[in-house]
Amino acid sequence: MKLVLTGSTGFVGSKLLTSLSSYDVTVIGRTKPKSSLNYKFYQAEINSAADYLPALSGADILIHSAARVHIMDDNVTDPLAEFRAINTEGTVNLAKQAAEAGVKRFIFISSIKVNGESTSLNNPFRPDGEVAPQDPYGVSKAEAEEGLKNIAKETGLEVVIIRPPLVYGPNVKANFSTMMKWINKGVPLPLGAIHNQRSFVALDNLVGFIIRCIDHPKAANEVFLISDDEDVSTSELLRKVAKAFGKKALLLPIPVWLMTSVAKLVGKGDVANRLFGSLQVDSSKARELLGWKPVITMDEQLKKTADTYLEHEKTL
């Protein structure tokens, strides 16, 4: 089976590439990934104008994980236009050419932000729930999904849409990496009395599910939400991270209402929402329809993540 992968230098894509050794893989990307896997490389940007047909010729499956990712404090003049150029227009261009080339299935790594930013407690997002993106990144992903569904109807291309929440694992970046640094250094954090519930997905679990979708007949033209099925509060997550480092988290029980008020005063209301609000997903469809189950627990993935972090720290 011939498979084409985009985003192979990214956090999810790089792990995917190392997990596809049993396939004939062609990578589409801006730069060639460093990997021991024997693969073909086709250099191209993800945009509305690129020609992908040489890379797609003879391919059976395309996994599209490349994206302009969510950026904190994005300072471009028109963020929505920037996100659309890659995440929407680039995805639609790629899918149209995939259909033209005779690719059977297009697996799209979308985002839970298509559903929205938060849920009420124990009222999780579901695959058939309302689409309500609230930021440019989420809007661009939602529009890409709509474009893919239209192409599927017009051409017969099978489309599989996967919306993960926050993905964590070895070499994770951004806020999760910052949190790990604070915990490892023993910094006291005012986050000891948070009783929200948030879904996460381990990198190993997400990659395992993507691979399950490659040839499972029941995955065709479906939308899936995926998680570890281990929802935790922010306080619980911090304690689990500390445990992974072999430490005890220093968490101060500061009232959430006080921290929320301060965050809003300094213009960090969105940060407060991620720390204190709930965001849960219902991944039962993945288990029931495809027979999928997590391959690793949250504690196990956090231990692998912490070990990788410490190894990296030794080399600095």
Side-chain angles (χ1 to χ4, degrees):
M1 180 181 290
K2 182 177 177 181
L3 189 149
V4 177
L5 172 66
T6 73
S8 61
T9 58
F11 178 51
V12 174
S14 58
K15 175 65 175 179
L16 256 174
L17 182 58
T18 63
S19 304
L20 296 172
S21 58
S22 61
Y23 296 90
D24 176 5
V25 178
T26 296
V27 167
I28 295 175
R30 181 187 304 168
T31 57
K32 191 173 183 179
K34 296 177 181 178
S35 173
S36 59
L37 182 70
N38 184 23
Y39 65 90
K40 304 178 186 70
F41 178 66
Y42 182 79
Q43 188 172 32
E45 300 275 352
I46 302 298
N47 57 39
S48 62
D51 177 15
Y52 307 112
L53 286 174
L56 296 170
S57 177
D60 302 292
I61 307 292
L62 193 158
I63 302 175
H64 182 38
S65 70
R68 185 178 195 267
V69 298
H70 180 66
I71 301 170
M72 295 295 294
D73 300 321
D74 201 345
N75 58 8
V76 297
T77 303
D78 188 349
L80 181 55
E82 297 289 335
F83 281 116
R84 278 177 169 156
I86 297 173
N87 298 349
T88 307
E89 296 161 16
T91 296
V92 168
N93 179 35
L94 183 62
K96 286 180 176 178
Q97 293 187 46
E100 182 182 343
V103 173
K104 180 182 179 182
R105 180 171 291 184
F106 189 110
I107 301 174
F108 180 52
I109 313 306
S110 187
S111 169
I112 197 60
K113 282 178 169 284
V114 169
N115 290 83
E117 295 292 330
S118 63
T119 59
S120 56
L121 199 60
N122 297 319
N123 185 27
F125 286 135
R126 293 180 170 82
D128 58 352
E130 180 185 4
V131 170
Q134 296 177 27
D135 69 2
Y137 173 73
V139 169
S140 70
K141 286 287 193 175
E143 291 176 348
E145 288 187 13
E146 192 63 27
L148 290 174
K149 291 174 182 178
N150 290 335
I151 293 169
K153 291 176 183 177
E154 294 167 0
T155 67
L157 176 69
E158 294 178 357
V159 169
V160 183
I161 294 170
I162 302 171
R163 297 179 193 155
L166 190 149
V167 186
Y168 66 98
N171 300 310
V172 66
K173 306 296 183 184
N175 291 339
F176 207 97
S177 178
T178 301
M179 174 191 69
M180 294 182 68
K181 180 175 71 174
W182 289 342
I183 292 294
N184 185 48
K185 288 185 175 181
V187 176
L189 300 172
L191 304 172
I194 303 172
H195 304 293
N196 59 349
Q197 288 287 284
R198 297 190 75 88
S199 298
F200 298 87
V201 62
L203 181 60
D204 289 3
N205 288 334
L206 177 58
V207 167
F209 181 70
I210 294 169
I211 292 173
R212 175 66 63 94
C213 290
I214 288 174
D215 57 7
H216 198 299
K218 292 184 178 180
N221 301 312
E222 296 289 350
V223 176
F224 296 97
L225 308 189
I226 195 75
S227 77
D228 293 335
D229 292 329
E230 294 183 57
D231 295 354
V232 294
S233 69
T234 299
S235 299
E236 290 170 329
L237 175 64
L238 292 166
R239 293 186 182 103
K240 282 179 174 289
V241 171
K243 180 182 176 182
F245 280 117
K247 299 182 177 183
K248 185 175 181 179
L250 300 176
L251 304 180
L252 308 176
I254 306 300
V256 168
W257 67 264
L258 178 58
M259 292 188 290
T260 300
S261 298
V262 172
K264 289 180 178 178
L265 281 173
V266 298
K268 296 293 182 180
D270 56 336
V271 175
N273 181 58
R274 285 190 293 276
L275 285 173
F276 313 137
S278 294
L279 193 159
Q280 296 174 272
V281 308
D282 181 351
S283 60
S284 60
K285 180 178 178 179
R287 299 192 305 272
E288 294 165 4
L289 188 62
L290 305 190
W292 173 84
K293 62 181 180 180
V295 298
I296 193 169
T297 66
M298 177 175 280
D299 286 336
E300 290 168 341
Q301 185 79 101
L302 287 173
K303 183 64 168 66
K304 288 175 64 174
T305 306
D307 289 347
T308 301
Y309 179 92
L310 293 173
E311 282 299 316
H312 179 70
E313 287 291 295
K314 288 179 183 178
T315 63
L316 296 179

